[in-house]
Amino acid sequence: MFLALKEMRRAKVRFTLLMAAVGLLVFLILFQQSLQNGLITAFVGAVRNQSAPVLVYSVDGRRVIQGSVIGPELEAQVRDAVAGGRVGRIGQGTFTVTADDALSEATVLGYEEEGLGSPTTLVTGRLPQGPGEAVASAADEAAGFGVGDVVRIEPGGLEVRVVGLADDIQLNVAPTLFVAYETYLDAVRSRNPDAGTPPPNVLAVEPAPGISAGDTAALINAASDDLDALTRADAAAKTPGVAQVQQSFRVIFLLYGLVVPLVTGLFFLIVTFQKAPSLTLLRAIGAPAGRLVAALLVQVLLVVGGGLAIGIGLYAPLSVQRIGGITLRFETAAVIGWSIALLVLGTASSVVSARRVVAIDPAAALGGTGMDR
Amino acid sequence: MTVTDPHAPALRLEGVRKVYPMADGEVVALERADLTVDRGEIVALVGPSGSGKTTLCSIAGGILRASGGTIVVGGDDISGYSPKQLTAFRRRAVGFVFQTVNLVPFLTARENLLVVDEIGARTGAPARARADQLLEELGLADRAKNLPSQLSGGQRQRVAIGRALMNDPTLVLFDEPTSALDSKLGRQVMELIRSEMTARGIAAIVVTHDERITAFADRTVHISDGVLDA
Ligand SMILES: Nc1ncnc2c1ncn2[C@@H]1O[C@H](COP(=O)(O)OP(=O)(O)OP(=O)(O)O)[C@@H](O)[C@H]1O
Ligand SMILES: [Mg+2]
């Protein structure tokens, strides 16, 4: 500790700069982690946080709710396949609405029954109990989607009153309203009086007792080539675009995962080269190589640890902001995961320096003929 | 740890050889050196450049392995020691003042003494007391908090002497301790070495080119082309 700390104290600027650089990288990593999760949640939160364990799409729909149509024949096949379970309709559309006196786009999701497509957890209020009521995405509360606000579906002018709010129930990064199936049909008809009664987009399924969601999905898929049943988690993960977003971020994170240890590794290698005469002297007067390596490791851990503290310190206040319609969260799991990963990677990156330290020949301290350094 | 025999001489070299293998043959740096240094004795080692002075000191201090012969320091036969054992031996039994780099630049004068305790037993308070006492004796009490870059050449050399004495060694090896100093300062440093060694009964080998320095030694040994005169 003595050597490690004294050196850091005497070379405050360079060690502080490195710590700040690591801190900035940590901040960027964590911030992007929040951004990724926020983005995906805004994209498919409605799928992830609805109550049906299994969703059934038509194959034509390519796993997009709005693109899927379940005609009467397919619906009958599903009901047969899940005998003993429950099946409910879900309809979804994107509507132009007036909220807070302004026109905007909103997603309306109608579900037939509680437990079959309703939001799982409310932050306030209650689920819709009658026509013209809705649970809105909490992220859009300030934009005219708060409890008690009335949202008008244009151009028909159908009024929907917000009676509850739920976190993370947006679909396609738009304000989202969960309504009773009848209200959804009313909305469609108010926009287009000739619409009649459109078929549901997807079916929500609760498996029969004793059968898992995965098995239920498999049963349905076996029943017809035109049906595409997915568990809730799969439906969210396999929505087109989600995998691509995750893939892009994975590349970014991989780069960060390389840059951080590269920066610390190079820094400590340079420092080790620069202080080689001191290290040689210490070896010559009897310092075990292990003590010098330990001092190096202490410095690496302090720098990475300090960088993590700085990074998390910057990230914490910014992680609870909203950017546009995207809600950021303080991602505890990411903070812990990256902290461990960076400490391990940082330590690993100092292996080259540690090897230099171990390889130092104390005889090089002798100076004089043939040994001048 | 070996129990050091208090009556054994501080250093006994018998038939010590050092050969550096080179691409084109080999360099014989030391040829069958025999030398005994008694407890508390100060020996001046004088010889031209390249004659093997540093080589001899390094072997006596356990920094270099000899190619052959016996090296006994304070009763410990270190001839067959492994690198690890030699590291512990250097920490325990010898003090070094090197020809070139002697101080750690990012440690203060006092810390350059304390580092000896830090790389070893970590006794803490006794080491601090000893460092303060040595700095006092060396006239550096008011420079204790200075970094090497804030010290004069003579002051730096005195810090190095203090560092060499921190572990209460059997033998201190001074490799040209005055070569970077003018003759007046050189004499002062030699007087200091003389009085510190005598007061503690520590043996020393002082390497020098300068015949005038030998006046401070009990005995002068000459070396040329790796051969000691007896
Ligand atoms: N690492 C080495 N490899 C090869 N030859 C070496 C090495 N170190 C020293 N020598 C040779 O060994 C001989 C003795 O060197 P040494 O350093 O002991 O001389 P010295 O008496 O201390 O000289 P100076 O007064 O210049 O310091 C020299 O010929 C030198 O070139
Ligand atoms: Mg020399």
Side-chain angles (χ1 to χ4, degrees), chain A residues 367-371, chain B residues 20-22 27-29 47-56 99 175-176 207 209 223:
Chain A
T369 316
M371 296 176 177
Chain B
Y20 290 106
M22 301 296 267
V27 176
V28 179
S49 182
S51 57
K53 306 182 297 293
T54 298
T55 304
L56 186 142
Q99 210 168 343
D175 198 351
E176 312 237 14
V207 170
H209 281 105
I223 183 170

Side-chain angles (χ1 to χ4, degrees), chain B residues 2-230:
Chain B
T2 342
V3 179
T4 309
D5 173 3
H7 303 296
L11 173 69
R12 191 156 54 78
L13 300 180
E14 279 175 12
V16 171
R17 267 173 64 80
K18 180 66 187 180
V19 179
Y20 290 106
M22 301 296 267
D24 47 350
E26 50 185 30
V27 176
V28 179
L30 214 54
E31 188 74 76
R32 296 203 53 78
D34 295 307
L35 177 68
T36 302
V37 180
D38 286 328
R39 296 264 165 181
E41 189 184 18
I42 298 185
V43 171
L45 183 60
V46 181
S49 182
S51 57
K53 306 182 297 293
T54 298
T55 304
L56 186 142
C57 284
S58 314
I59 290 174
I63 289 183
L64 271 186
R65 308 277 295 273
S67 311
T70 309
I71 305 111
V72 184
V73 178
D76 290 350
D77 184 346
I78 65 165
S79 317
Y81 275 15
S82 68
K84 259 213 172 85
Q85 287 174 308
L86 284 176
T87 300
F89 159 77
R90 293 197 296 273
R91 201 163 60 231
R92 182 180 76 236
V94 276
F96 293 96
V97 175
F98 296 103
Q99 210 168 343
T100 50
V101 181
N102 255 309
L103 300 178
V104 179
F106 56 79
L107 298 180
T108 64
R110 185 169 184 263
E111 289 162 358
N112 263 289
L113 268 60
L114 290 176
V115 80
V116 174
D117 182 53
E118 273 301 320
I119 60 174
R122 287 182 171 149
T123 59
R128 286 195 290 276
R130 184 170 174 79
D132 291 335
Q133 190 204 332
L134 280 168
L135 289 170
E136 180 78 44
E137 286 176 24
L138 294 164
L140 290 167
D142 57 340
R143 289 282 175 271
K145 290 202 168 78
N146 288 43
L147 292 172
S149 59
Q150 301 162 330
L151 296 173
S152 73
Q155 289 170 334
R156 260 179 262 174
Q157 210 60 341
R158 281 185 272 158
V159 175
I161 293 169
R163 200 263 327 282
L165 294 174
M166 262 305 277
N167 57 346
D168 197 11
T170 310
L171 176 69
V172 181
L173 302 159
F174 294 93
D175 198 351
E176 312 237 14
T178 61
S179 62
L181 309 175
D182 64 33
S183 56
K184 179 160 166 269
L185 253 180
R187 239 186 354 266
Q188 282 177 8
V189 167
M190 275 313 297
E191 273 164 15
L192 197 65
I193 290 176
R194 171 87 251 181
S195 64
E196 288 293 328
M197 298 299 117
T198 309
R200 294 185 156 77
I202 297 174
I205 296 178
V206 182
V207 170
T208 181
H209 281 105
D210 186 348
E211 291 283 351
R212 281 173 300 174
I213 296 295
T214 59
F216 296 92
D218 296 315
R219 180 157 64 102
T220 301
V221 174
H222 289 270
I223 183 170
S224 71
D225 285 339
V227 181
L228 286 177
D229 67 359

Side-chain angles (χ1 to χ4, degrees), chain A residues 2 5 10 12 62 78 85 96-97 100 117 174 180 201 265 272 340 351:
Chain A
F2 175 88
L5 297 182
R10 303 278 141 68
K12 253 186 232 119
R62 298 175 193 278
V78 172
T96 304
V97 300
D100 207 10
N201 294 102
T272 303
I340 294 170
V351 164

Side-chain angles (χ1 to χ4, degrees), chain A residues 139-229:
Chain A
D140 305 296
E141 184 178 6
F145 294 85
V147 172
D149 286 342
V150 172
V151 179
R152 272 186 31 203
I153 312 277
E154 305 298 350
L158 178 78
E159 292 196 338
V160 176
R161 177 182 295 275
V162 176
V163 297
L165 296 177
D167 273 332
D168 302 336
I169 54 155
Q170 284 185 340
L171 194 66
N172 300 332
V173 205
T176 299
L177 297 166
F178 274 72
V179 298
Y181 197 71
E182 278 308 319
T183 309
Y184 158 74
L185 291 178
D186 290 345
V188 173
R189 288 184 203 117
S190 83
R191 179 168 63 184
N192 176 9
D194 304 327
T197 304
N201 294 102
V202 297
L203 295 179
V205 175
E206 187 187 279
I211 301 181
S212 72
D215 289 346
T216 303
L219 280 175
I220 298 168
N221 287 329
S224 165
D225 285 345
D226 295 328
L227 292 172
D228 187 8

